[in-house]
Amino acid sequence: MALPEIGEAGQKRLRAAKVAIAGVGGLGCTAAQCLTGAGIGEITLIDDGEVELSNLNRQFLYRFEDVGKPKAEIAKQRLSESNPFVRIETICTRINRENAGEIFSKCDIILDCLDNFETRFILNETAVHFGKPLIHGACRGFEGRVMTIIPDRTSCLKCAIGETPSESEIPILGSTAVFVASLQASEGIRYITGLQPASSGIMLFADLSRMSFEMINIPKDLECRICGSLK
């Protein structure tokens, strides 16, 4: 509340907000921690996975003894310990076209902390359909990107990426995931408190191996089948 850009009014907006975090891995863990600390009123964690040993270099809500346990449930437990006044719901199921509407229609904002583009595009379609802001984040190695999608105002993820890219195992440096997720949480806080997200319709690319940053405007594709005027 000491920040003049937020103040008491902004803190009340955070307290009233409902945020959905899709994926509680390297990005989702840090984003959830930041938003819990900021005093978000309600957070829904969606992840069908279990903690694996290889997760521990970047998914800092989990410990060695959590291996094999549901990510969303362990994350809820740890987040509640740090701020018991935040209501945290968990959905331990995989997002698909059949359940996405029910999961995300009641939230105020969605954070895309996923690790595969098939589900990311389902999330993108759902966000555009229900008019929900979507903060996309992704990382690989030392590289990361962030983009905020505001339906009817900016381009969408389909405009930015086009067809589903080929995917393989993704090596991730823990500090890269923390960096990207922190930006996602910051953009979410900016939107909720009435500030313009810096990445609205803009893809921020970061290469932490060279400390280089680039912001590329993503124009709205009028023929985009998801958000274009011809859909």
Side-chain angles (χ1 to χ4, degrees), residues 12-230:
K12 288 180 177 179
R13 289 185 177 185
L14 293 171
R15 181 63 176 164
K18 297 180 180 180
V19 178
I21 300 177
V24 198
L27 297 175
C29 280
T30 294
Q33 287 175 296
C34 291
L35 294 174
T36 298
I40 293 295
E42 184 174 321
I43 297 175
T44 301
L45 307 172
I46 307 99
D47 198 305
D48 68 334
E50 297 178 346
V51 179
E52 299 178 13
L53 185 61
S54 62
N55 300 154
L56 301 184
N57 77 318
R58 62 194 182 280
Q59 301 179 18
F60 300 123
L61 284 174
Y62 311 129
R63 303 168 185 165
F64 184 83
E65 61 266 27
D66 298 324
V67 171
K69 298 177 182 178
K71 286 185 177 182
E73 294 298 334
I74 297 300
K76 175 182 178 178
Q77 174 187 330
R78 300 279 152 71
L79 294 168
S80 296
E81 290 170 357
S82 66
N83 188 347
F85 301 104
V86 176
R87 298 183 302 278
I88 300 175
E89 302 293 332
T90 60
I91 300 177
C92 299
T93 189
R94 188 175 182 84
I95 298 165
N96 55 47
R97 284 190 167 80
E98 285 68 42
N99 63 22
E102 180 180 356
I103 292 172
F104 297 107
S105 61
K106 296 180 181 179
C107 69
D108 298 315
I109 190 169
I110 305 168
L111 267 63
D112 168 13
C113 299
L114 297 166
D115 61 1
N116 72 90
F117 277 95
E118 179 182 356
T119 313
R120 288 183 191 277
F121 282 137
I122 292 174
L123 203 61
N124 178 65
E125 292 179 27
T126 304
V128 171
H129 177 75
F130 286 100
K132 306 294 183 179
L134 173 67
I135 303 177
H136 164 73
C139 57
R140 181 185 182 92
F142 286 91
E143 300 175 350
R145 66 169 179 258
V146 175
M147 178 180 175
T148 298
I149 295 147
I150 304 178
D152 295 327
R153 286 172 50 189
T154 73
S155 50
C156 75
L157 191 61
K158 197 72 172 176
C159 297
I161 297 175
E163 298 305 315
T164 304
S166 59
E167 297 181 299
S168 58
E169 185 176 352
I170 304 173
I172 301 173
L173 188 68
S175 56
T176 305
V178 170
F179 175 81
V180 172
S182 296
L183 291 180
Q184 288 183 273
S186 179
E187 291 291 78
I189 290 170
R190 287 176 62 86
Y191 180 85
I192 292 167
T193 57
L195 301 172
Q196 175 71 16
S199 62
S200 296
I202 294 172
M203 188 75 79
L204 166 64
F205 291 93
D207 183 349
L208 301 186
S209 68
R210 299 183 298 158
M211 280 299 170
S212 66
F213 305 91
E214 185 177 11
M215 298 184 76
I216 299 177
N217 182 56
I218 307 296
K220 192 178 183 72
D221 181 358
L222 297 181
E223 296 185 4
C224 176
R225 66 178 182 84
I226 305 301
C227 72
S229 61
L230 303 181

